[in-house]
Amino acid sequence: MDGLPDRSGLAQDKCGVAGIAAERDVAPALYQAMRAIQHRGQESAGIATFDDGLQTIKGMGLVENIFQAKELEQLTGRVGLGHTRYSTAGTSRLENAHPVCVSSAEGSIALGHNGEIVNADGIREDLQESGWAFITDNDSEVIVRLFANELSDAKSPVRAMRRVMRQIVGAYSLVLVVGERILAVRDPRGIKPLALGKLPAAYGGQNGSESEVGGYAVASETVAIEALGGEPIRDVKPGEIVEITPGGYEGHMTNAQSADLAHCQFEYVYFSRADSRIDDREVYDVRVGIGEQLANESPVDADIVVPVPDSGRSHALGFARQLDLPMAEGLMKNRYVHRTFIMPSQEERASGVNIKLNPVQSVVEGNRVVLVDDSIVRGTTMGQLTDMLREAGAEEVHVRIGCPPIQAPCYLGIDMKTREELIAADKSVEEIRDTIGADSLAYVSIPGLKRAIGKPEGSLCTGCLTGRYPVDIPGEEHRKQETLF
Ligand code: SF4
């Protein structure tokens, strides 16, 4: 994955979220779950638990640096949520870290959010007019204050959330702690993932039986449930509110909006871990299938296939297998450097590429190389990698990409907001090939990508590939026009 563009000004949330209800203190388990989804955000993290009141600890940095044994001991309670977040330099502040907590007539509420609400500004203005004060410019604070407002009237958390879902538009996978229960909520289009699972007896079984369920968990990805020795049960359904307590869970469907499904294609292509399952598809399987599809669409006469580690590995495997070419580790990764695109500033990302990857000369020297990655956003990283391979002696460097050209911003939870920073927004494939210095360049087609993901026609969001989004984006037509002049 080439570095995602920098953004400033607005607070945005593209994150990992987890919630646990069990028969004993859940903070240590939340810590483990958050580490399993640390790749979804490395800028800040937080945990909130409920034990006769809400307790919250948040900090900047990695989960393991924020939470030591002392912090986890302070966070008592049988229900809780954890959140990992990334954002841009302009919003790299502790007050924007999650969970977002507010007081309500029914007690304190904590929220963790993955996604983005496109009509948050209008709702914020309405709430401000009726006397609510906001601490951040964060769309997640709008959700939790709206929920608190509705809860004072509706009394029931599920009823209050139904009312909230009638008003908010966009991408949201939410976990809330409301007293001794968790609410797990997924937007009606199912844009961002959210999985539900059960935990083993070790998390608080009563009768010592190994088959006993020790509690329940929700998380952005199934890997977080599996990291606890748990078992995924199912995805939270698009438009569903799941109420979870240590003793069980109950799903409540809503008809907040009659919406077509729009699962984020980018979760399959890049964002989720390959060993996660989203809406019944294993991400690894999808990525290998994309590589095979890419090989069928754009074969190349070459000696070896080299993945960009780790993001291009599964795609490269499918590509190599389909063309019966050897796959080799022609680029080595320093595992102690974080993913470049979630580093907040462009400067950090640029220096990150140089220390993150290094060519293996004996693999590439004298060979015609196919370099495979999942996506290109800016193109800067890919240009550096083709240079690296040539300097290491590659005779030819052909680039194959497992995501169609990203031509339009994402307003639904992935940090790609401006066309100016997307290389494919105003360049043809041939111009991009020239810019990155490749001998040839090909992307998987949109129909090919859809086929590999294997979802029914019309159930994927491809907004960043086509400029057509599953919800109306305020101001988008205007922004599109601006780029024409
Ligand atoms: S616009 Fe692209 S990145 Fe954003 S939700 Fe849709 S598919 Fe995902």
Side-chain angles (χ1 to χ4, degrees), residues 194-262:
L194 192 61
L196 171 70
K198 59 186 177 187
L199 299 180
Y203 287 91
Q206 300 285 307
N207 60 24
S209 150
E210 273 192 21
S211 60
E212 198 177 8
V213 175
Y216 294 88
V218 283
S220 295
E221 295 185 37
T222 52
V223 288
I225 296 166
E226 288 164 345
L228 304 175
E231 197 184 311
I233 300 171
R234 64 174 174 85
D235 294 285
V236 175
K237 294 174 196 148
E240 186 182 26
I241 304 165
V242 183
E243 201 173 3
I244 306 168
T245 63
Y249 67 90
E250 187 180 358
H252 307 266
M253 281 311 292
T254 65
N255 55 359
Q257 294 130 320
S258 59
D260 292 331
L261 293 179

Side-chain angles (χ1 to χ4, degrees), residues 110-350:
L111 168 80
H113 172 206
N114 174 209
E116 195 166 340
I117 304 302
V118 299
N119 64 338
D121 290 349
I123 297 172
R124 183 189 289 110
E125 281 164 23
D126 290 347
L127 287 171
Q128 281 170 330
E129 274 170 24
S130 49
W132 287 84
F134 283 78
I135 297 163
T136 70
D137 58 356
N138 193 312
D139 59 345
S140 308
E141 189 184 349
V142 171
I143 302 174
V144 74
R145 290 202 186 278
L146 187 59
F147 178 74
N149 194 31
E150 295 293 354
L151 188 59
S152 60
D153 179 45
K155 303 300 179 199
S156 143
V158 171
R159 205 176 309 138
M161 183 49 72
R162 282 183 197 276
R163 293 184 185 180
V164 170
M165 292 172 78
R166 276 187 217 120
Q167 297 170 69
I168 59 176
V169 177
Y172 53 93
S173 283
L174 309 175
V175 177
L176 294 96
V177 173
V178 189
E180 290 190 320
R181 68 167 74 72
I182 288 170
L183 294 188
V185 183
R186 201 168 171 207
D187 70 73
R189 294 168 182 82
I191 297 173
K192 307 310 292 179
L194 192 61
L196 171 70
K198 59 186 177 187
L199 299 180
Y203 287 91
Q206 300 285 307
N207 60 24
S209 150
E210 273 192 21
S211 60
E212 198 177 8
V213 175
Y216 294 88
V218 283
S220 295
E221 295 185 37
T222 52
V223 288
I225 296 166
E226 288 164 345
L228 304 175
E231 197 184 311
I233 300 171
R234 64 174 174 85
D235 294 285
V236 175
K237 294 174 196 148
E240 186 182 26
I241 304 165
V242 183
E243 201 173 3
I244 306 168
T245 63
Y249 67 90
E250 187 180 358
H252 307 266
M253 281 311 292
T254 65
N255 55 359
Q257 294 130 320
S258 59
D260 292 331
L261 293 179
H263 303 308
C264 170
Q265 60 84 20
F266 214 52
E267 289 281 347
Y268 292 100
V269 164
Y270 172 73
F271 210 57
S272 290
R273 262 173 57 167
D275 47 342
S276 282
R277 295 184 69 82
I278 310 174
D279 293 306
D280 280 336
R281 283 302 317 268
E282 188 183 60
V283 174
Y284 174 83
D285 209 29
V286 169
R287 289 182 188 162
V288 171
I290 292 172
E292 291 169 353
Q293 184 68 35
L294 191 50
N296 290 339
E297 293 178 1
S298 305
V300 56
D301 201 8
D303 300 309
I304 54 166
V305 174
V306 169
V308 175
D310 294 314
S311 52
R313 210 180 289 281
S314 323
H315 304 79
L317 181 67
F319 189 91
R321 198 190 279 169
Q322 195 68 5
L323 294 183
D324 209 13
L325 286 171
M327 180 166 129
E329 301 278 1
L331 287 168
M332 216 34 85
K333 182 180 173 188
N334 177 348
R335 298 191 183 284
Y336 299 95
V337 177
H338 306 315
R339 296 168 110 182
T340 53
F341 97 93
I342 48 180
M343 291 180 180
S345 76
Q346 171 58 11
E347 291 72 29
E348 284 173 276
R349 282 195 292 267

